[in-house]
Amino acid sequence: MTSLLEKNLRTLSIRHAPMAELVRSASPSPLSVMPSRKGPITATAARSAATEPEISADTAPSEGNDSERAKASGRGIAGSSEGDISGGGVIQLASRFDPEGEAVKLVSTIEARKSAVVVVLGFGLGYHIRQVLKTIGPASACVVYEPDIALVRAVLEIADCSDFLADERLMIMLGSVDRGEVVQRMEPLTVLALQGTVILHHPPSRSLRERELAAFAQAVTGFLGYGRMHLSTMIVNATRTVSNYLGNFAGYAAGLTTDGLKDAARGYPAVCISAGPSLARNVHLLANPEWRKRVVVISAQTTLKYLLARGITPDYVTALDYSSVSTRFYEGLPPLEDCTLVVEPMVHPSVPAAYPGPVRMTQSSFLNSITGDNRWRYDIRYGATVAHLSFYLAQHLGCDPILFIGQDLGFTDGLYYCPGSPIHDVWMPEINPFNTLEMMEWRRVVACRPLLVKVQDQRGMPMYQDEQMSTYLKQFERDFLEAEQQVIDCTEGGAAKLHSRVMGFEEALRRYARKPLLPLPRASNRLDPLRLAHGRRMYRRRRAELDRLLELSLRTVELLKRLREKVDETDQYNRLVRRIDACRAEVMGMKETFGMIEEFNAIGVFNRFKADRQLAARNTDPSDREHRISQVDRDLSNVQWIIEACREAIRLFDEHQKDLGQAEGQAGRRTVDAA
């Protein structure tokens, strides 16, 4: 091993140890190395038949900013190159004349302030990667993808890349990478990526590996859609979420946690049930008591009535819907003492109130900020849907394997709902020979026409899926990739899911459901009066702190306005800064209340993060007049968002104060049940 390779690998392993091992174990591609006319080395690589392009990368969406999707082709986004790309089977990896100048030209179209994340397709000889890192700001990121590990090995043997490999803003992905892995690796960059993502095609790499690079570009575009949906949902539903949190505060502060379920069914199979069209094909198997007693059944709230009507009582039901409309899933139900409802605290308070059985809540950092403590030792991951929450609950229970039925994530057989779903009863008055149930189902599907995409189902056949389903699929594929448990897709229909094993439901039951379950933990809805009294005291304390936080924020806004006018008067400017710092110090002393407002103020936090990055990208002297003005404008906007969040939080706290009083009155005649 050459000393240059060892130096590069040692640097790469600091932050990308798995990538370094991949490169270390690879055999290098043969390169023809020569000096360029300007001095730095260049090289050519042979193109094998396996790397002939099959898909044009121009067809892959490649710009994270919707307003700039016209730049989607590699040639449209910094796609030109001075390097000679020879015909035949040889590719020039960098210019024979001036590879560094070529890299400057390739990267010149990237605007540092607008490009929070730059995704580079192709490693090449590394010149363009180094130039990207020189161009982007200190708060930006560069993601590099190269499918040919052997090429990277060969390059690291001949070129010193240790300077940019050590850069903390760099993320490297090598080899075969699927969309689940893209979501998993890039998820920490979500907020950054949504501020502006540019895909930079390295033309020689594109000539060598067009198919893989185009697929990666599509996966990145899918990740951006996934991130955009989650962020927009969080922003749009911020007020509803906090309102629901406060409406559920009594149950959260004094009810049962999910800790009692930790590893309660370790080693037993779980069946997670969703309401996809294929559910009718195999759910009947759970009506057989011999199978039922050997598996943990976790139902989404949408399938609860459907299961009960077929004589199947699940062990757990999951819910997290913001809306009170979900109470229709619990209307007319009999008592369900042996079926526990597991909810995220953001669920509408009417849902746990309507459920005729025991309720457990998952952890919430927002509500922990109010109570001032954390009774949960074990966290359950936040679920984008009840189906995701069901999966996370199965993991929390220690179940293995985890089986899915009814999880279509697509319109199986052109259907939107499972046959026999409650919605069909609503439609019955409209059914006639000229308006069949199938026709109404199809109309429901085509209503999503602008958002429909064609994907492969489990059998490799085409089926339709809407944008929301596509986003949920990406999250599942990330989860399945990370899961320690075996995940088996027994849906018998629906979209193909990476990192899961496809198997018929009956076969899976015969293979894994071999012994009866041990008794699962019982629960009740009784509240602990002592915990409830403590919760009420903390609720009042946070409410008072909100008033003080609002007062300090209003004072800070006035100080910031004066500060902007005094940027040229150093003494007065510094005095005002000290007064603002005093306000900030008092706010930081109320860290729980401020943290609560930060979680509520999603759009304000996003805008502040964006402003911080853009300010850092300017790379100006902090004492510069324009820099100071920009800082004040950023802080002014941030505090104004905090003021709006405080006012809304105060309104919601006052609105839900009565709920606590009612709960405390009821708790006098209740005692807490052992979990």
Side-chain angles (χ1 to χ4, degrees):
M1 184 178 295
T2 66
S3 58
L4 192 55
L5 174 63
E6 187 56 43
K7 178 183 179 183
N8 285 324
L9 290 179
R10 189 165 53 248
T11 305
L12 181 62
S13 65
I14 294 172
R15 296 183 56 252
H16 298 88
M19 300 296 104
E21 287 307 309
L22 282 175
V23 174
R24 190 185 301 275
S25 61
S27 298
S29 292
L31 299 181
S32 178
V33 184
M34 64 205 79
S36 67
R37 290 193 182 180
K38 285 290 187 76
I41 64 165
T42 185
T44 60
R47 175 163 56 186
S48 66
T51 63
E52 290 293 336
E54 298 178 19
I55 302 173
S56 171
D58 291 347
T59 64
S62 58
E63 176 58 64
N65 186 335
D66 289 338
S67 67
E68 298 183 14
R69 285 191 184 274
K71 297 180 179 179
S73 75
R75 299 174 186 87
I77 315 176
S80 62
S81 171
E82 292 179 0
D84 294 349
I85 302 178
S86 305
V90 177
I91 300 296
Q92 189 76 37
L93 294 178
S95 171
R96 292 177 297 179
F97 304 97
D98 183 9
E100 292 177 342
E102 176 191 52
V104 171
K105 183 177 180 181
L106 181 66
V107 178
S108 63
T109 58
I110 294 175
E111 297 181 57
R113 290 186 62 191
K114 294 182 179 179
S115 305
V117 175
V118 178
V119 178
V120 178
L121 300 182
F123 194 89
L125 295 180
Y127 293 113
H128 59 299
I129 300 172
R130 183 180 287 110
Q131 187 60 36
V132 167
L133 291 167
K134 288 180 180 178
T135 301
I136 62 176
S140 296
C142 174
V143 178
V144 176
Y145 173 60
E146 174 54 63
D148 190 347
I149 302 173
L151 175 66
V152 175
R153 162 79 187 232
V155 171
L156 296 187
E157 288 183 352
I158 63 169
D160 187 355
C161 302
S162 59
D163 58 331
F164 69 78
L165 292 177
D167 198 305
E168 293 184 352
R169 298 170 297 168
L170 182 68
M171 175 185 290
I172 295 180
M173 290 188 241
L174 302 176
S176 177
V177 178
D178 62 45
R179 58 183 182 249
E181 292 172 286
V182 170
V183 172
Q184 180 199 38
R185 291 289 308 279
M186 292 190 66
E187 194 165 31
L189 300 178
T190 300
V191 174
L192 193 61
L194 294 179
Q195 295 176 26
T197 296
V198 174
I199 292 185
L200 179 72
H201 295 260
H202 179 239
S205 298
R206 185 176 179 177
S207 297
L208 284 168
R209 295 280 184 168
E210 185 167 5
R211 177 170 54 85
E212 294 97 325
L213 296 179
F216 188 85
Q218 281 192 314
V220 170
T221 302
F223 159 74
L224 293 172
Y226 159 85
R228 193 177 295 114
M229 176 174 287
H230 280 273
L231 183 65
S232 61
T233 300
M234 183 172 63
I235 290 172
V236 169
N237 291 316
T239 298
R240 282 201 297 175
T241 300
V242 171
S243 180
N244 290 349
Y245 277 150
L246 298 177
N248 287 317
F249 180 73
Y252 186 86
L256 291 176
T257 75
T258 50
D259 279 4
L261 304 181
K262 178 66 175 173
D263 291 334
R266 175 162 290 279
Y268 287 93
V271 180
C272 297
I273 305 177
S274 298
S278 70
L279 181 61
R281 297 177 180 176
N282 52 23
V283 71
H284 64 277
L285 293 170
L286 290 176
N288 182 335
E290 287 303 310
W291 292 132
R292 175 64 191 86
K293 69 183 182 181
R294 300 178 184 188
V295 294
V296 178
V297 175
I298 305 174
S299 169
Q301 65 176 5
T302 47
T303 57
L304 177 58
K305 283 187 174 181
Y306 182 88
L307 295 176
L308 293 174
R310 286 154 180 77
I312 304 165
T313 301
D315 297 298
Y316 302 98
V317 180
T318 55
L320 49 70
D321 198 340
Y322 298 98
S323 172
S324 61
V325 174
S326 292
T327 56
R328 73 180 189 272
F329 298 122
Y330 309 101
E331 293 171 353
L333 292 181
L336 295 171
E337 295 180 1
D338 294 327
C339 180
T340 300
L341 177 67
V342 176
V343 300
E344 291 190 354
M346 68 177 65
V347 73
H348 196 278
S350 61
V351 170
Y355 186 69
V359 178
R360 291 181 185 266
M361 288 192 187
T362 62
Q363 184 177 187
S364 160
S365 59
F366 183 92
L367 292 177
N368 288 343
S369 296
I370 300 178
T371 62
D373 59 16
N374 182 4
R375 297 193 292 132
W376 280 254
R377 289 179 298 158
Y378 307 104
D379 197 10
I380 294 180
R381 199 170 189 169
Y382 160 76
T385 67
V386 284
H388 292 88
L389 178 56
S390 294
F391 177 62
Y392 304 148
L393 175 59
Q395 291 182 306
H396 182 72
L397 286 161
C399 296
D400 192 4
I402 300 173
L403 285 55
F404 282 86
I405 61 173
Q407 190 56 59
D408 293 62
L409 292 172
F411 304 116
T412 304
D413 298 331
L415 299 177
Y416 197 94
Y417 299 105
C418 171
S421 293
I423 190 66
H424 291 166
D425 295 332
V426 177
W427 287 351
M428 285 308 295
E430 303 177 54
I431 302 300
N432 60 61
F434 305 100
N435 187 41
T436 66
L437 194 61
E438 290 78 9
M439 292 168 65
M440 295 190 72
E441 282 274 0
W442 182 243
R443 277 200 293 273
R444 182 67 181 82
V445 173
V446 297
C448 308
R449 190 191 303 273
L451 302 176
L452 292 180
V453 293
K454 192 174 284 189
V455 296
Q456 284 190 345
D457 69 8
Q458 290 180 335
R459 301 162 297 173
M461 302 296 290
M463 68 177 296
Y464 284 111
Q465 179 186 71
D466 66 21
E467 187 176 43
Q468 188 177 59
M469 292 174 179
S470 177
T471 298
Y472 296 153
L473 175 60
K474 291 178 178 65
Q475 182 164 338
F476 266 128
E477 290 174 338
R478 176 209 65 187
D479 296 337
F480 296 166
L481 174 66
E482 296 174 351
E484 296 178 359
Q485 302 81 7
Q486 184 177 183
V487 179
I488 302 177
D489 186 8
C490 303
T491 298
E492 298 181 22
K497 305 169 188 70
L498 297 174
H499 310 294
S500 66
R501 183 180 180 186
V502 176
M503 187 182 297
F505 189 37
E506 185 170 5
E507 179 187 350
L509 290 174
R510 292 187 184 280
R511 183 173 298 189
Y512 299 107
R514 295 180 175 177
K515 57 183 180 180
L517 293 173
L518 295 174
L520 294 170
R522 296 179 63 86
S524 81
N525 281 337
R526 296 170 184 166
L527 302 181
D528 183 334
L530 294 179
R531 287 193 177 279
L532 189 58
H534 169 75
R536 191 172 189 184
R537 287 194 299 271
M538 296 305 298
Y539 192 96
R540 289 171 173 167
R541 177 177 170 180
R542 300 301 178 224
R543 173 62 183 83
E545 288 178 347
L546 282 171
D547 280 336
R548 181 57 179 163
L549 180 56
L550 176 60
E551 180 185 344
L552 289 168
S553 299
L554 290 168
R555 183 188 304 171
T556 301
V557 164
E558 294 307 313
L559 291 171
L560 286 168
K561 288 178 179 178
R562 291 168 58 189
L563 187 67
R564 198 181 194 285
E565 297 171 356
K566 303 296 183 181
V567 290
D568 296 321
E569 302 175 35
T570 304
D571 290 342
Q572 293 191 51
Y573 182 91
N574 290 337
R575 280 196 294 271
L576 288 168
V577 167
R578 285 193 291 272
R579 291 179 64 184
I580 292 170
D581 286 343
C583 290
R584 181 184 292 112
E586 186 174 348
V587 168
M588 291 300 103
M590 299 182 287
K591 63 179 183 179
E592 289 87 0
T593 302
F594 184 68
M596 185 175 65
I597 287 298
E598 287 279 273
E599 189 168 339
F600 185 18
N601 183 29
I603 190 168
V605 171
F606 179 81
N607 288 336
R608 184 188 66 204
F609 188 74
K610 185 175 182 178
D612 286 344
R613 188 193 62 78
Q614 292 180 340
L615 196 59
R618 290 183 178 180
N619 199 27
T620 53
D621 187 340
S623 63
D624 179 76
R625 185 178 188 277
E626 291 304 315
H627 186 92
R628 282 184 169 185
I629 290 174
S630 296
Q631 282 183 315
V632 173
D633 289 343
R634 174 203 60 191
D635 293 343
L636 191 57
S637 173
N638 180 48
V639 178
Q640 286 169 335
W641 277 108
I642 291 173
I643 289 170
E644 293 305 310
C646 283
R647 285 172 173 161
E648 187 64 10
I650 287 169
R651 182 185 71 80
L652 293 173
F653 262 70
D654 291 345
E655 182 180 303
H656 289 282
Q657 181 78 40
K658 63 181 186 300
D659 299 334
L660 266 179
Q662 293 171 356
E664 198 164 26
Q666 295 169 0
R669 54 180 185 273
R670 293 160 134 180
T671 57
V672 71
D673 187 32

